[in-house]
Amino acid sequence: MLYGKLSEIPEKEIQALVERGGGELANVNDTVSSILTDVRSEGDAALRKYTQRFDGANIDAIEVSKDEIEKAYKSIDEDLIKHLEIAASNIRKFHEAQMPDKIWFMQLSPGIELGQKVTALASVGAYVPGGRASYPSTALMTIIPAKVAGVRKVVMCTPPGPDGRVNPLTLAAAKVAGADHVYRVGGVQAIAAMAYGTESVMKVDKIVGPGNVYVTAAKMQIRDMAEIDFPAGPSEVLIIADDSAYPEMIASDMIAQAEHDPQAVSVLVTTSEKLAYKVKEEVLKQAQSTLRKEIVSSSLKNAAILIADSIEQCVDLSNRFAPEHLEIMTENNNATLENIEHAGSIFVGNYAPVPVGDYASGTNHVLPTAGYARMYSGLNIMHFLKVSSIQRISKEGLATIGDTVISLAEKEGLQAHADAVRVRFSR
């Protein structure tokens, strides 16, 4: 764990923290490319081969049947189903609020109306990770916004267990969210299947959802066949706090982030040396009692507790880091929030820990990591929509801009462009 005053830590160590995960995609690109090529040429046969190799499962039917989904749903405790429904309802309400007007017009000048038409994508593939844990919450986060947007076909891929079955809770979440098809395939092979299509898996227009470095590399490589949301890798949190914050809460949030993955990153940057010391003590204490002790222990090697001279310095580091999750626990949260430029999702106040966004507040937990928050937004309703511009122009309206169009077209040497305007006044 990196610990100390920002002013005393060598710049190369801060830079290494900011560049976390850099170069990992390049290390796996050849392996990923080989799997993508196999799936594209061999289809279902390749999916079965790689599922056996990576998940230890021999699968026959690649698509999970409606009966299997229904049985999984009925096997889940009623109280847990109720909580899935509550989370789903909140996610649905938040993303419905994000929906833009489907069509609108403005009058630029008499005879010239400009507008916009918003249309949902035809098909979307949702990737829901497996492996170390099951993620039914990710099924809700990826499928529900697509359905709210009006996507006609939403499919889900998720890896099976060694017995070839998908986690029942993940299947229940897929049913609650409204998935049209569910496939028991994960990893690079799942991304390939949704991008290219196979005998069993339908091709989609866009693929969304988080995954490990192999899944992320696969998403980056198939963009000639299907659009993606953004690169998403190991989870991370950066916390800005002053001496008004509570050390046990901050430590708990850092541990919660650390239990995701050995590569997860937890960072505290604070103006209080006393708080920093107490948080470090509390983190080491809580790490000993957590259930996922080995993962947390590995992850905390990537962690940092940094002491800044001012809140402005804290914010500067946060903007440089561009965290997936940002927590703000300061005396003047609104002022701190005002100066944040880059963050996937922001949690304001002592009672807004990252897990509320992971599960049930309604905001989306599929977010850009590794500094990509500088250029990408977290998953939202616009990821599932296309925007077409509209021009509605009368002859009188065309007359007001015709000379401009003709002049610019002729200057560019495009005579036919100019004639397309002239002909409308020569009849």
Side-chain angles (χ1 to χ4, degrees):
M1 181 189 298
L2 182 62
Y3 180 89
K5 292 183 178 180
L6 270 172
S7 58
E8 296 175 0
I9 297 173
E11 170 59 23
K12 65 179 182 180
E13 293 188 41
I14 300 298
Q15 189 62 27
L17 181 67
V18 169
E19 294 177 352
R20 72 273 185 204
E24 288 187 358
L25 292 182
N27 296 335
V28 303
N29 271 335
D30 289 347
T31 300
V32 167
S33 179
S34 176
I35 296 171
L36 293 175
T37 300
D38 278 358
V39 173
R40 191 170 194 174
S41 61
E42 297 176 20
D44 283 358
L47 298 185
R48 293 189 178 96
K49 175 177 70 176
Y50 288 114
T51 299
Q52 201 286 322
R53 181 182 300 178
F54 298 127
D55 301 304
N58 291 308
I59 58 171
D60 183 19
I62 290 170
E63 182 168 1
V64 180
S65 70
K66 299 296 183 186
D67 284 347
E68 189 175 340
I69 294 172
E70 195 62 35
K71 286 177 183 175
Y73 181 85
K74 290 178 179 177
S75 74
I76 304 300
D77 180 82
E78 286 185 10
D79 280 347
L80 196 48
I81 292 293
K82 180 184 75 174
H83 291 306
L84 276 179
E85 295 280 7
I86 290 170
S89 176
N90 290 346
I91 294 164
R92 196 171 289 112
K93 287 176 185 174
F94 179 73
H95 289 86
E96 283 172 349
Q98 293 179 337
M99 275 292 290
D101 291 338
K102 289 191 175 179
I103 191 165
W104 57 262
F105 284 94
M106 59 166 280
Q107 186 176 58
L108 182 71
S109 59
I112 300 179
E113 288 184 285
L114 305 181
Q116 178 174 288
K117 186 178 188 299
V118 174
T119 310
L121 298 175
S123 58
V124 165
Y127 183 76
V128 177
R132 291 187 176 88
S134 63
Y135 296 99
S137 57
T138 301
L140 302 181
M141 295 286 178
T142 50
I143 297 165
I144 290 173
K147 284 295 184 180
V148 168
V151 178
R152 289 195 299 275
K153 288 289 184 181
V154 183
V155 307
M156 182 183 95
C157 279
T158 192
D163 61 358
R165 295 182 179 277
V166 173
N167 183 284
L169 187 56
T170 302
L171 290 180
K175 176 180 167 66
V176 168
D180 295 293
H181 300 279
V182 177
Y183 304 108
R184 63 182 98 240
V185 58
V188 174
Q189 59 271 26
I191 303 302
M194 291 188 286
Y196 306 132
T198 72
E199 299 92 325
S200 297
V201 181
M202 69 171 283
K203 181 188 180 332
V204 298
D205 295 323
K206 187 165 189 172
I207 299 170
V208 302
N212 62 20
V213 65
Y214 291 92
V215 168
T216 299
K219 286 168 67 179
M220 300 296 277
Q221 288 189 35
I222 54 80
R223 296 188 71 179
D224 59 333
M225 297 300 295
E227 184 53 278
I228 67 168
D229 43 8
F230 42 76
S235 197
E236 59 196 34
V237 66
L238 186 142
I239 303 167
I240 297 175
D242 59 20
D243 55 13
S244 68
Y246 298 93
E248 65 274 16
M249 291 183 181
I250 294 172
S252 179
D253 293 353
M254 293 180 73
I255 295 293
Q257 202 64 41
E259 75 172 347
H260 269 290
D261 186 281
Q263 303 303 316
V265 180
S266 307
V267 178
L268 166 66
V269 56
T270 177
T271 53
S272 171
E273 194 166 348
K274 182 179 177 182
L275 180 75
Y277 181 77
K278 287 185 176 179
V279 169
K280 182 180 180 181
E281 278 193 326
E282 192 67 29
V283 165
L284 296 176
K285 175 184 168 185
Q286 290 186 26
Q288 294 306 307
S289 58
T290 185
L291 289 176
R292 293 161 70 87
K293 188 185 297 185
E294 288 186 15
I295 292 174
V296 168
S297 178
S298 294
S299 175
L300 288 178
K301 294 174 184 175
N302 311 317
I305 297 176
L306 307 171
I307 303 156
D309 294 329
S310 64
I311 288 295
E312 289 74 21
Q313 192 177 26
C314 294
V315 170
D316 286 346
L317 179 67
S318 177
N319 285 333
R320 185 176 168 189
F321 189 87
E324 175 192 20
H325 304 104
L326 171 64
E327 292 187 358
I328 300 174
M329 301 182 194
T330 60
E331 204 153 357
N332 193 341
N333 289 329
N334 290 339
T336 305
L337 176 63
E338 186 70 26
N339 293 305
I340 297 301
E341 296 176 356
H342 311 301
S345 189
I346 305 171
F347 301 77
V348 180
N350 292 321
Y351 296 92
V354 166
V356 300
D358 284 345
Y359 295 106
S361 68
T363 61
N364 209 292
H365 79 199
V366 181
L367 303 164
T369 64
Y372 283 109
R374 277 189 291 272
M375 59 199 85
Y376 292 102
S377 303
L379 199 65
N380 64 78
I381 206 73
M382 293 306 299
H383 280 97
F384 305 100
L385 300 171
K386 301 172 296 174
V387 177
S388 302
S389 57
I390 308 169
Q391 291 101 130
R392 196 155 60 186
I393 302 175
S394 68
K395 186 174 183 180
E396 292 71 25
L398 181 59
T400 65
I401 58 171
D403 288 347
T404 297
V405 174
I406 290 168
S407 176
L408 292 175
E410 289 182 337
K411 192 66 177 176
E412 291 185 354
L414 299 174
Q415 188 64 43
H417 281 60
D419 289 345
V421 174
R422 285 196 184 95
V423 72
R424 283 166 165 79
F425 294 97
S426 63
R427 296 178 67 236

